[in-house]
Amino acid sequence: MDLENCRGIMVYCEIDVCGIIDNSLELIGHANTLKEKMEHYPEVTAVIIGSDVGSLITVAARHGADRVIMMDNPRYRVYRPDLYSDALAAAAEKYRPEILLVGASLSGEEIGPTVAMKLHTGMAAHCVELKIRDDGQFVQVVPAFGGKVLGDILCPGFRPQMASMKAGMVSKRIFEGKVAEIESFDPDVRGFGDRLQVIETIPETRKRVSLSNAELVVTGGFGIGTQEGWDKLEHMAELLHGVSTCTRPALDAGWTDKEETMVGTSGVAIKPKVYLGFGVSGAAHHTCGIKGAGLIISVNRDANAPIFEVSDFKVVSDWEAIVNAITARLEATSAVCPDPDRA
Amino acid sequence: MALTIAVCIKPVPDSEYYNKITIDPVTKRLNRDGIPTVINSMDKNAIEAALRLREKHGGRVLAFSMAPDTAIENLKRVLAMGVDEAYLCSDRVLGGADTWATSYTLYKAIEKTGPVDLVIMGNQTEDGGTAQVPSQLGEWMGVPHLANVIALDYEDGGMVVKTKADRGTIRYSLKLPAVLAVTRDCNEPRIPSVMDILKVGKKPMRILRAQDLDLNPDFIGIKGSPTQAGEIYSPDMSRKSEALVGDPDEIALRILDELRKAGISIG
Ligand SMILES: Cc1cc2nc3c(=O)[nH]c(=O)nc-3n(C[C@H](O)[C@H](O)[C@H](O)COP(=O)(O)OP(=O)(O)OC[C@H]3O[C@@H](n4cnc5c(N)ncnc54)[C@H](O)[C@@H]3O)c2cc1C
Ligand SMILES: Cc1cc2nc3c(=O)[nH]c(=O)nc-3n(C[C@H](O)[C@H](O)[C@H](O)COP(=O)(O)OP(=O)(O)OC[C@H]3O[C@@H](n4cnc5c(N)ncnc54)[C@H](O)[C@@H]3O)c2cc1C
């Protein structure tokens, strides 16, 4: 799209069984932060694509949407990347935003670049920061080489300027009592027609671990070494009421099957009050996911482990000795009052 | 039906050496000296997926890469894995491309060498890692495309594909031609034997220059890229790195103390 008559920030709202996902709500909040730095103080528009999703309008408004474009049609009942991409591209063509933000979820990664192609514009992927420069230019900061390097991406000549961002990079904002303007939009989209068909959608049955509100995160790396070791670490995490997370090698080793708790470039970014890491070497792929942590404490037996550089406190030790000692301390306390739920 | 399958291969700096990547403080350029270039990891999954389809249904597998001439070495490895022919799009005017211009160039190269039934790509690279090229190539070709593919098979003239979704998995059927981007869960890539490596010399490998490809000059390289790269920098994430010392119990107490100070309530 060319630069003529483009205005405002559009955010694509991704939906799951529980409603609009946090990733999208965070982006609506962040769009408000951006708009406050933009000269003409433009509108933040949320686009909701789905079937029977009217109840989500207030959710989008409460999180900062000035306007909600409702694309509510039974054809969107089951997610199909081609239909959703066509729908979002049609909305962008009609409402002509300057900026279009998409969550860097698996489906966002399908829809985003497809829409960028349809609109003939650029897209910056997995941004770690989105900001408006003093001269008004929108700057998209992207990671490369697993987060070892960051680069600014600009898209001055095309609109909308598209960007994706992973969950957890920015925070949600609440706008109590905010009312959004509502528009229904129902273009005739067909995607690839019968050239692409969904045979079945198989939902995950296991309840996912949520990391967005975790205050204490205990991360185990490949240095944990065995399943027994892993179970011991998880036990300590439970005693601390913390959430256990992992590095990619620990997940690959099969010690945990909670892939949603893998932290880093190909996993999640977290911002707990405290990150407590054991047997984690500190590769950029992993550490780029923990830079939002308030406090970083790590235990590694190698005094030169790169994780120490990015830690507030370091412990050069075998992980097990420390975990045993913490566990013993906690069990001594909880022996007095074994069931914390009753307290 | 025998299948003609294109696989797209990007040579990338070996991720084992990422700690050696630095930024020249004066030129602000990336310094990758001494870092070997390897085939992007998921592209090996793409090759493996293509070879298995060929072994089952017959056909040919063609590899395409847009990279400097040095990528010939990487493409030899691709041929050793069992790919039949390799094409390298290499030309100074193609450099600096973003995903939009990269997908366009790959599209023109594939079009040039003749129709294909299926394109299989890696889902994401290890260096740029945008995961944008596959969908954009699918759009250029105007054919159904899916990312995050974890299983695929050819049945009754179409593909049956399983993808990883945000909250589960999805099974799709696609008519050919189609573009699929596979993840590392898809398969275990084979390692070429000495015999395979010996066969490489007999396989066709061709360098395609810009003039060989009927390219729209406004769609390639830096000029054809809607995005522009600005400054690059290494994020400084260093913290105070204060050592906690003592015997394990003393350290445990210090850790619990720091947790409390940070606002974590502990029994
Ligand atoms: C620091 C940095 C940041 C960047 N950020 C952006 C950005 O935000 N937006 C943007 O548009 N571009 C960006 N680029 C440019 C982008 O990396 C290049 O366009 C690159 O050629 C393709 O993108 P990718 O590596 O992200 O591929 P992905 O989309 O991650 O690759 C997926 C698959 O596409 C195929 N493929 C990709 N490139 C090639 C190739 N050259 N030859 C053959 N097959 C290929 C492979 O099968 C690969 O597995 C960035 C580059 C750098 C160095
Ligand atoms: C494209 C790509 C994407 C990736 N994405 C991610 C990602 O999202 N998240 C991620 O985590 N990784 C990711 N990785 C992998 C990443 O590069 C590193 O390999 C990984 O983070 C290292 O995990 P680790 O620290 O657990 O293991 P290792 O690097 O093997 O480190 C183990 C550490 O444990 C220590 N240790 C061993 N025994 C003990 C002991 N008894 N007591 C104390 N310490 C001990 C060792 O000194 C070592 O420092 C990715 C890689 C690639 C190529």
Side-chain angles (χ1 to χ4, degrees), chain A residues 122-125 127 142-145 149-151 153, chain B residues 7-12 30 32 40 42-43 46 64-67 96-100 102 106 120-134 136 227 232:
Chain A
M123 172 146 182
C127 298
V142 297
F145 307 103
V149 171
L150 298 180
I153 301 280
Chain B
V7 289
C8 296
I9 309 300
K10 186 179 182 190
V12 296
L30 226 44
R32 319 172 169 184
N40 179 52
M42 288 188 199
D43 300 355
F64 293 85
S65 187
M66 183 181 91
D98 71 357
T99 65
W100 199 91
T102 299
L106 290 172
I120 309 183
M121 318 175 68
N123 204 61
Q124 185 171 20
T125 61
E126 283 158 59
D127 56 348
T130 62
Q132 292 184 172
V133 174
Q136 298 192 324
T227 64
I232 50 171

Side-chain angles (χ1 to χ4, degrees), chain A residues 295 308-314, chain B residues 237-243 254 258:
Chain A
L295 186 72
F308 287 151
E309 251 167 70
V310 303
S311 303
D312 297 283
F313 292 104
K314 64 172 182 183
Chain B
M237 291 181 49
S238 61
R239 300 196 182 202
K240 66 180 177 180
S241 197
E242 184 183 326
R254 273 301 304 278
E258 291 301 336

Side-chain angles (χ1 to χ4, degrees), chain A residues 18-154:
Chain A
C18 306
I20 303 176
I21 65 168
D22 279 344
N23 197 178
S24 307
L25 297 176
E26 289 162 6
L27 290 175
I28 297 176
H30 194 61
N32 277 272
T33 308
L34 294 173
K35 101 173 177 185
E36 286 153 15
K37 288 211 67 185
M38 286 161 82
E39 209 180 346
H40 47 283
Y41 206 70
E43 271 184 328
V44 172
T45 301
V47 178
I48 299 180
I49 305 172
S51 173
D52 221 354
V53 284
S55 62
L56 299 178
I57 294 171
T58 50
V59 180
R62 204 169 102 84
H63 288 85
D66 299 308
R67 175 169 67 173
V68 179
I69 311 292
M70 287 304 289
M71 305 188 74
D72 195 334
N73 188 304
R75 84 164 79 81
Y76 305 124
R77 194 177 53 79
V78 173
Y79 169 72
R80 240 181 79 164
D82 57 337
L83 292 180
Y84 275 57
S85 304
D86 278 2
L88 183 60
E93 261 163 0
K94 173 150 190 225
Y95 296 97
R96 300 186 70 85
E98 285 163 274
I99 294 173
L100 173 52
L101 306 179
V102 177
S105 61
L106 296 179
S107 73
E109 284 181 343
E110 291 183 317
I111 296 171
T114 307
V115 170
M117 260 301 298
K118 289 182 190 295
L119 300 175
H120 189 169
T121 191
M123 172 146 182
H126 311 121
C127 298
V128 295
E129 196 182 346
L130 296 169
K131 57 192 177 190
I132 305 288
R133 219 162 52 186
D134 289 340
D135 64 358
Q137 174 66 48
F138 180 49
V139 179
Q140 309 163 86
V141 185
V142 297
F145 307 103
K148 175 78 185 153
V149 171
L150 298 180
D152 288 349
I153 301 280
L154 312 177

Side-chain angles (χ1 to χ4, degrees), chain A residues 146 166 219-225 246-250 252 255 262-268 278-288 299-307 315-321, chain B residues 15-16 18 40-42 124-127 184:
Chain A
K166 263 183 193 289
T219 302
F222 196 61
I224 298 303
C246 60
T247 63
R248 194 165 95 172
D252 287 349
W255 301 328
M262 182 177 82
V263 175
T265 332
S266 16
V268 286
F278 294 90
V280 173
S281 62
H285 287 119
H286 179 70
T287 56
C288 69
V299 181
N300 194 306
R301 69 175 174 198
D302 174 6
N304 297 318
I307 188 78
V315 179
V316 182
S317 163
D318 180 55
W319 69 269
E320 204 162 356
Chain B
S15 61
E16 293 290 316
Y18 280 2
N40 179 52
S41 161
M42 288 188 199
Q124 185 171 20
T125 61
E126 283 158 59
D127 56 348
R184 63 199 191 105

